[in-house]
Short mmCIF file of all heavy atoms in Angstrom, two decimals:
data_model
loop_
_atom_site.label_atom_id
_atom_site.label_comp_id
_atom_site.label_asym_id
_atom_site.label_seq_id
_atom_site.Cartn_x
_atom_site.Cartn_y
_atom_site.Cartn_z
N ASN A 529 99.97 -116.08 -13.07
CA ASN A 529 99.83 -117.07 -11.98
C ASN A 529 101.15 -117.76 -11.69
O ASN A 529 101.21 -118.97 -11.31
CB ASN A 529 98.77 -118.14 -12.33
CG ASN A 529 97.40 -117.54 -12.52
OD1 ASN A 529 96.97 -116.73 -11.71
ND2 ASN A 529 96.72 -117.91 -13.58
N ALA A 530 102.24 -117.00 -11.82
CA ALA A 530 103.56 -117.54 -11.63
C ALA A 530 103.85 -117.75 -10.14
O ALA A 530 103.42 -116.96 -9.29
CB ALA A 530 104.61 -116.61 -12.20
N ARG A 531 104.57 -118.83 -9.86
CA ARG A 531 104.96 -119.14 -8.51
C ARG A 531 106.47 -118.87 -8.27
O ARG A 531 106.85 -118.56 -7.14
CB ARG A 531 104.63 -120.59 -8.17
CG ARG A 531 103.13 -120.93 -8.42
CD ARG A 531 102.72 -122.23 -7.83
NE ARG A 531 102.59 -122.11 -6.39
CZ ARG A 531 102.24 -123.13 -5.59
NH1 ARG A 531 102.02 -124.34 -6.13
NH2 ARG A 531 102.12 -122.95 -4.30
N VAL A 532 107.28 -119.05 -9.30
CA VAL A 532 108.68 -118.74 -9.23
C VAL A 532 109.13 -118.19 -10.54
O VAL A 532 108.46 -118.33 -11.60
CB VAL A 532 109.55 -119.96 -8.86
CG1 VAL A 532 109.21 -120.56 -7.51
CG2 VAL A 532 109.46 -121.02 -9.97
N LEU A 533 110.30 -117.57 -10.54
CA LEU A 533 110.94 -117.13 -11.81
C LEU A 533 112.41 -117.52 -11.78
O LEU A 533 113.03 -117.67 -10.75
CB LEU A 533 110.78 -115.63 -12.02
CG LEU A 533 111.30 -114.64 -11.00
CD1 LEU A 533 112.81 -114.44 -11.08
CD2 LEU A 533 110.61 -113.30 -11.16
N ASP A 534 112.93 -117.72 -12.99
CA ASP A 534 114.36 -118.03 -13.12
C ASP A 534 114.83 -117.54 -14.49
O ASP A 534 114.12 -116.79 -15.19
CB ASP A 534 114.64 -119.51 -12.85
CG ASP A 534 114.11 -120.44 -13.98
OD1 ASP A 534 113.84 -119.96 -15.10
OD2 ASP A 534 113.93 -121.63 -13.72
N MET A 535 116.01 -118.00 -14.90
CA MET A 535 116.63 -117.51 -16.14
C MET A 535 116.90 -118.60 -17.15
O MET A 535 117.58 -118.32 -18.16
CB MET A 535 117.91 -116.75 -15.81
CG MET A 535 117.70 -115.55 -14.92
SD MET A 535 119.23 -114.71 -14.43
CE MET A 535 119.76 -113.99 -15.99
N GLU A 536 116.41 -119.82 -16.91
CA GLU A 536 116.72 -120.93 -17.84
C GLU A 536 115.58 -121.87 -18.14
O GLU A 536 115.46 -122.34 -19.31
CB GLU A 536 117.88 -121.80 -17.28
CG GLU A 536 119.19 -121.08 -17.05
CD GLU A 536 119.28 -120.40 -15.73
OE1 GLU A 536 118.57 -120.82 -14.77
OE2 GLU A 536 120.08 -119.46 -15.58
N SER A 537 114.71 -122.17 -17.21
CA SER A 537 113.81 -123.30 -17.34
C SER A 537 112.86 -123.17 -18.54
O SER A 537 112.56 -124.18 -19.22
CB SER A 537 112.98 -123.48 -16.07
OG SER A 537 113.80 -123.79 -14.97
N GLY A 538 112.37 -121.95 -18.83
CA GLY A 538 111.50 -121.77 -19.99
C GLY A 538 112.17 -122.09 -21.33
O GLY A 538 111.54 -122.63 -22.24
N ALA A 539 113.47 -121.81 -21.39
CA ALA A 539 114.22 -122.10 -22.60
C ALA A 539 114.45 -123.64 -22.73
O ALA A 539 114.28 -124.20 -23.82
CB ALA A 539 115.54 -121.41 -22.60
N VAL A 540 114.78 -124.29 -21.63
CA VAL A 540 114.93 -125.75 -21.63
C VAL A 540 113.61 -126.40 -22.02
O VAL A 540 113.59 -127.34 -22.82
CB VAL A 540 115.41 -126.23 -20.25
CG1 VAL A 540 115.43 -127.75 -20.18
CG2 VAL A 540 116.79 -125.68 -19.93
N ALA A 541 112.50 -125.89 -21.45
CA ALA A 541 111.18 -126.45 -21.76
C ALA A 541 110.85 -126.33 -23.26
O ALA A 541 110.26 -127.25 -23.84
CB ALA A 541 110.13 -125.73 -20.92
N GLN A 542 111.22 -125.23 -23.88
CA GLN A 542 110.96 -125.03 -25.31
C GLN A 542 111.73 -126.02 -26.14
O GLN A 542 111.19 -126.64 -27.05
CB GLN A 542 111.27 -123.61 -25.72
CG GLN A 542 111.04 -123.35 -27.21
CD GLN A 542 111.33 -121.91 -27.61
OE1 GLN A 542 111.21 -121.00 -26.81
NE2 GLN A 542 111.66 -121.70 -28.85
N VAL A 543 113.02 -126.19 -25.86
CA VAL A 543 113.85 -127.12 -26.61
C VAL A 543 113.38 -128.56 -26.40
O VAL A 543 113.34 -129.35 -27.33
CB VAL A 543 115.35 -126.96 -26.25
CG1 VAL A 543 116.19 -128.00 -26.98
CG2 VAL A 543 115.81 -125.56 -26.61
N ALA A 544 113.01 -128.86 -25.17
CA ALA A 544 112.50 -130.23 -24.87
C ALA A 544 111.22 -130.49 -25.64
O ALA A 544 111.00 -131.60 -26.16
CB ALA A 544 112.29 -130.37 -23.38
N TYR A 545 110.32 -129.49 -25.70
CA TYR A 545 109.08 -129.63 -26.47
C TYR A 545 109.38 -129.89 -27.93
O TYR A 545 108.77 -130.76 -28.57
CB TYR A 545 108.27 -128.36 -26.30
CG TYR A 545 107.01 -128.33 -27.17
CD1 TYR A 545 105.83 -128.89 -26.74
CD2 TYR A 545 107.05 -127.72 -28.42
CE1 TYR A 545 104.67 -128.86 -27.54
CE2 TYR A 545 105.91 -127.67 -29.22
CZ TYR A 545 104.75 -128.25 -28.79
OH TYR A 545 103.62 -128.23 -29.59
N ALA A 546 110.29 -129.11 -28.51
CA ALA A 546 110.64 -129.25 -29.92
C ALA A 546 111.21 -130.63 -30.25
O ALA A 546 111.01 -131.18 -31.32
CB ALA A 546 111.58 -128.18 -30.36
N ASN A 547 111.92 -131.22 -29.28
CA ASN A 547 112.56 -132.52 -29.46
C ASN A 547 111.76 -133.67 -28.87
O ASN A 547 112.17 -134.83 -28.96
CB ASN A 547 113.96 -132.51 -28.84
CG ASN A 547 114.92 -131.66 -29.64
OD1 ASN A 547 115.56 -132.13 -30.60
ND2 ASN A 547 115.10 -130.43 -29.24
N GLN A 548 110.60 -133.34 -28.25
CA GLN A 548 109.75 -134.35 -27.61
C GLN A 548 110.48 -135.18 -26.56
O GLN A 548 110.38 -136.39 -26.53
CB GLN A 548 109.11 -135.25 -28.68
CG GLN A 548 108.18 -134.52 -29.65
CD GLN A 548 107.52 -135.42 -30.65
OE1 GLN A 548 108.13 -135.84 -31.64
NE2 GLN A 548 106.26 -135.73 -30.44
N VAL A 549 111.21 -134.47 -25.72
CA VAL A 549 111.93 -135.14 -24.62
C VAL A 549 111.18 -134.86 -23.32
O VAL A 549 110.99 -133.68 -22.95
CB VAL A 549 113.38 -134.59 -24.52
CG1 VAL A 549 114.08 -135.23 -23.31
CG2 VAL A 549 114.14 -134.87 -25.81
N PRO A 550 110.74 -135.89 -22.58
CA PRO A 550 110.06 -135.68 -21.29
C PRO A 550 110.92 -134.88 -20.36
O PRO A 550 112.10 -135.17 -20.21
CB PRO A 550 109.79 -137.10 -20.80
CG PRO A 550 109.92 -137.97 -22.00
CD PRO A 550 110.90 -137.32 -22.92
N THR A 551 110.30 -133.89 -19.70
CA THR A 551 111.08 -132.96 -18.87
C THR A 551 110.35 -132.62 -17.60
O THR A 551 109.13 -132.54 -17.56
CB THR A 551 111.38 -131.68 -19.68
OG1 THR A 551 112.17 -132.03 -20.83
CG2 THR A 551 112.17 -130.67 -18.86
N ILE A 552 111.13 -132.37 -16.54
CA ILE A 552 110.61 -131.92 -15.27
C ILE A 552 111.64 -131.01 -14.64
O ILE A 552 112.86 -131.22 -14.82
CB ILE A 552 110.23 -133.08 -14.33
CG1 ILE A 552 109.45 -132.59 -13.13
CG2 ILE A 552 111.49 -133.88 -13.94
CD1 ILE A 552 108.84 -133.73 -12.29
N VAL A 553 111.20 -129.96 -13.92
CA VAL A 553 112.14 -128.97 -13.35
C VAL A 553 111.86 -128.87 -11.85
O VAL A 553 110.74 -128.66 -11.42
CB VAL A 553 111.92 -127.61 -14.01
CG1 VAL A 553 112.83 -126.56 -13.36
CG2 VAL A 553 112.25 -127.69 -15.51
N PHE A 554 112.96 -128.98 -11.08
CA PHE A 554 112.90 -128.76 -9.64
C PHE A 554 113.66 -127.47 -9.33
O PHE A 554 114.83 -127.33 -9.70
CB PHE A 554 113.58 -129.92 -8.90
CG PHE A 554 112.92 -131.26 -9.09
CD1 PHE A 554 113.08 -131.99 -10.26
CD2 PHE A 554 112.12 -131.77 -8.09
CE1 PHE A 554 112.47 -133.20 -10.46
CE2 PHE A 554 111.47 -133.01 -8.26
CZ PHE A 554 111.66 -133.73 -9.46
N ARG A 555 113.01 -126.56 -8.63
CA ARG A 555 113.65 -125.30 -8.25
C ARG A 555 113.41 -125.01 -6.78
O ARG A 555 112.29 -125.12 -6.29
CB ARG A 555 113.08 -124.15 -9.09
CG ARG A 555 113.48 -124.19 -10.57
CD ARG A 555 114.86 -123.65 -10.78
NE ARG A 555 115.25 -123.60 -12.21
CZ ARG A 555 116.36 -123.05 -12.66
NH1 ARG A 555 117.19 -122.46 -11.84
NH2 ARG A 555 116.61 -123.05 -13.95
N SER A 556 114.48 -124.59 -6.09
CA SER A 556 114.39 -124.21 -4.68
C SER A 556 114.59 -122.70 -4.57
O SER A 556 115.48 -122.12 -5.22
CB SER A 556 115.43 -124.97 -3.87
OG SER A 556 115.34 -124.63 -2.49
N LEU A 557 113.82 -122.08 -3.72
CA LEU A 557 113.86 -120.62 -3.60
C LEU A 557 115.09 -120.16 -2.84
O LEU A 557 115.31 -120.55 -1.68
CB LEU A 557 112.62 -120.09 -2.88
CG LEU A 557 111.35 -119.86 -3.74
CD1 LEU A 557 110.89 -121.15 -4.37
CD2 LEU A 557 110.26 -119.22 -2.90
N SER A 558 115.91 -119.33 -3.51
CA SER A 558 117.06 -118.70 -2.85
C SER A 558 116.74 -117.26 -2.43
O SER A 558 117.47 -116.67 -1.63
CB SER A 558 118.23 -118.69 -3.82
OG SER A 558 117.93 -117.94 -4.99
N ASP A 559 115.67 -116.69 -2.99
CA ASP A 559 115.30 -115.31 -2.72
C ASP A 559 113.85 -115.13 -3.13
O ASP A 559 113.20 -116.06 -3.64
CB ASP A 559 116.23 -114.34 -3.46
CG ASP A 559 116.10 -114.52 -4.98
OD1 ASP A 559 116.81 -115.38 -5.54
OD2 ASP A 559 115.29 -113.81 -5.58
N LEU A 560 113.32 -113.89 -2.97
CA LEU A 560 111.94 -113.62 -3.28
C LEU A 560 111.76 -112.64 -4.42
O LEU A 560 110.72 -111.99 -4.54
CB LEU A 560 111.21 -113.13 -2.02
CG LEU A 560 111.24 -114.13 -0.83
CD1 LEU A 560 110.48 -113.53 0.37
CD2 LEU A 560 110.67 -115.47 -1.21
N ALA A 561 112.78 -112.51 -5.26
CA ALA A 561 112.64 -111.73 -6.50
C ALA A 561 112.13 -110.32 -6.37
O ALA A 561 111.37 -109.83 -7.19
CB ALA A 561 111.78 -112.52 -7.51
N GLY A 562 112.50 -109.70 -5.27
CA GLY A 562 112.03 -108.32 -4.99
C GLY A 562 111.13 -108.27 -3.79
O GLY A 562 110.82 -107.19 -3.30
#
C-alpha cells in the first residue's frame, strides 16, 4: 500500500524509533519510479 518510495526515510524512521525521537517526513514527487 505504498504511496512513495525513497532511499533514506525508512532508515531514519528506524533510528528514530530506537531512540524514541518524534519524527515526521515530508517528500515531494520528482518522478514516478518507473
Side-chain angles (χ1 to χ4, degrees):
N529 297 314
R531 306 192 74 181
V532 298
L533 58 77
D534 69 21
M535 299 176 69
E536 298 87 23
S537 298
V540 174
Q542 179 177 334
V543 176
Y545 174 87
N547 288 274
Q548 297 183 282
V549 177
T551 299
I552 190 169
V553 176
F554 297 79
R555 290 281 183 172
S556 180
L557 275 61
S558 60
D559 62 274
L560 301 180

